[in-house]
Amino acid sequence: MSKIARRTFIKGTAAVTAGAFLHTSRDAAAQDMAKADPESQAAQALKYTHDASTVDPADIVNEAPDQSCANCMFIQGNEGDEWRPCPLFPAQVVAAAGWCNAWQPKP
Ligand code: SF4
């Protein structure tokens, strides 16, 4: 293996290892976070619910169909996870099937 190829291999391996570590850390962090409480003052202000199918149509600000946290631009974490972080609920996770009136489509 040439010096350049070895250097490229080492850099690539380090990047993959770092990425895997960050991914694992993020997973663990999300799993350890408390679920957003729909009865909390913040959740009530945003009309957050764990179940988007229960939303009162009168509460919907953006008229786009099929809104849920899973397809909101603010959702974080891993696609497909049932509970994911959202910056509107710091240090908590929201239900992927949930919703609040700050919902915005992903760009
Ligand atoms: Fe869900 Fe988006 Fe509201 Fe966060 S901002 S709670 S992801 S709808």
Side-chain angles (χ1 to χ4, degrees):
M1 187 181 285
S2 73
K3 276 187 177 179
I4 293 175
R6 188 177 313 129
R7 199 175 308 142
T8 303
F9 173 78
I10 291 169
K11 280 183 184 174
T13 303
V16 168
T17 303
F21 176 76
L22 287 174
H23 187 76
T24 303
S25 297
R26 213 171 37 223
D27 287 351
Q31 289 174 3
D32 292 343
M33 295 164 85
K35 294 175 181 171
D37 177 5
E39 302 303 318
S40 72
Q41 194 172 2
Q44 296 270 312
L46 291 168
K47 301 190 182 300
Y48 171 78
T49 173
H50 291 324
D51 183 356
S53 71
T54 64
V55 173
D56 181 343
D59 292 336
I60 297 176
V61 177
N62 187 313
E63 295 298 324
D66 302 323
Q67 300 179 19
S68 71
C69 293
N71 61 21
C72 174
M73 71 177 289
F74 297 112
I75 197 76
Q76 299 176 339
N78 300 317
E79 193 72 37
D81 283 358
E82 189 177 356
W83 295 92
R84 299 170 65 179
C86 167
L88 275 67
F89 292 89
Q92 298 173 57
V93 286
V94 297
W99 179 90
C100 85
N101 65 9
W103 183 93
Q104 289 295 314
K106 290 182 180 179

